[in-house]
Amino acid sequence: MFHPVLNQIYRLYHKGMVYVNHNHVYKFKDYSECIFETQIQSKNWLGERLRGVVEHNKIDIQEIDIAASWYGIVIVPFLKYYLGTHIKFNLYDVDWYTTEIASHIFDDDDLVTVKTNDVVFDDIDFTGDTFINCSCEHMFDMKELTSMNTDKKVFAFQSNDNRNVQWMHINCVDTPEELAKQAGLKRIYDTGVREILRNKRIMVIGAMQ
């Protein structure tokens, strides 16, 4: 079935592709991969399960911080679809060229702010009530970050077991329990495993209180 969010994703993708072609052609390969099927499936899954957590636990989400957001053109539309168009998004990525492209893509959306930061090493005041990182396999454990932001209502983390990408996937996991331990979450709302293109995508949603 054709998901209604895909039309919006393709419009954002086209807007960014034109900009990349004119200003950052060296990012073409990286940009072209941001709407791979793995991205579509994992972000749709996140939105579905996060909505279930919000509804079941009566949680009010108003502002979301997204680490390693890349270009944001898949995760933002899906979260708007599942959680509401009123939500404010703060997108964080370590690569300046990526954030410069993302800033152009969302330049007409007042609810999306794009920032260039390393969420692990930079001193950041995360203002959102919710924190999401769908790229935990690329980073050190999230435990230190969660312990410094205990006021967040929800943390949502995704990782995978694909250790073949050795130069990028430095912190893979095999189970949701392992991911939850890495994140140091005190309260677990939901966990899951889904096979996406021959590898396991692993998710945990929880809180520190």
Side-chain angles (χ1 to χ4, degrees):
M1 179 181 293
F2 187 84
H3 199 290
V5 173
L6 294 182
N7 279 328
Q8 183 182 359
I9 291 173
Y10 294 151
R11 284 195 297 270
L12 293 173
Y13 181 74
H14 179 264
K15 180 179 180 181
M17 180 58 77
V18 172
Y19 190 73
V20 168
N21 184 58
H22 290 159
N23 300 280
H24 298 288
V25 67
Y26 43 84
K27 294 290 286 184
F28 177 80
K29 181 180 183 296
D30 182 72
Y31 185 75
S32 67
E33 295 175 354
C34 74
I35 58 168
F36 275 6
E37 184 64 21
T38 53
Q39 292 294 314
I40 301 296
Q41 289 190 36
S42 62
K43 303 310 186 290
N44 182 39
W45 182 40
L46 169 68
E48 289 178 331
R49 299 295 281 264
L50 191 53
R51 181 175 65 181
V53 166
V54 167
E55 292 176 347
H56 183 265
N57 295 278
K58 305 282 191 297
I59 298 171
D60 180 33
I61 292 180
Q62 296 294 327
E63 183 176 351
I64 300 176
D65 297 313
I66 302 178
S69 56
W70 211 1
Y71 302 100
I73 63 176
V74 175
I75 192 169
V76 170
F78 271 122
L79 291 181
K80 284 187 175 184
Y81 176 80
Y82 286 110
L83 301 178
T85 58
H86 66 284
I87 293 176
K88 183 180 186 304
F89 293 91
N90 304 308
L91 308 184
Y92 294 89
D93 199 275
V94 70
D95 180 58
W96 180 89
Y97 297 104
T98 295
T99 56
E100 205 271 331
I101 295 166
S103 294
H104 171 78
I105 293 170
F106 291 103
D107 63 2
D108 58 352
D109 191 333
D110 294 336
L111 293 177
V112 178
T113 301
V114 181
K115 306 180 182 184
T116 309
N117 285 106
D118 186 323
V119 297
V120 175
F121 294 107
D122 290 352
D123 184 13
I124 304 171
D125 180 19
F126 295 107
T127 58
D129 50 49
T130 298
F131 184 91
I132 295 174
N133 182 0
C134 294
S135 299
C136 291
E137 68 274 13
H138 292 271
M139 305 182 191
F140 295 125
D141 294 355
M142 290 287 99
K143 188 178 299 184
E144 182 172 348
L145 190 147
T146 56
S147 66
M148 295 174 61
N149 293 272
T150 57
D151 59 325
K152 299 289 180 286
K153 296 177 182 177
V154 179
F155 289 96
F157 297 120
Q158 284 188 354
S159 187
N160 63 53
D161 68 342
N162 181 11
R163 294 177 174 83
N164 292 323
V165 193
Q166 297 178 7
W167 59 94
M168 293 178 63
H169 292 182
I170 63 171
N171 199 13
C172 293
V173 296
D174 296 301
T175 66
E177 291 75 21
E178 187 178 355
L179 181 57
K181 184 177 180 180
Q182 280 189 0
L185 295 176
K186 305 300 184 185
R187 179 178 182 183
I188 305 300
Y189 292 128
D190 192 13
T191 63
V193 178
R194 176 170 290 187
E195 185 169 328
I196 299 178
L197 296 183
R198 299 182 301 278
N199 291 110
K200 290 192 301 183
R201 195 73 186 164
I202 296 158
M203 180 162 64
V204 60
I205 303 173
M208 293 297 288
Q209 300 181 17

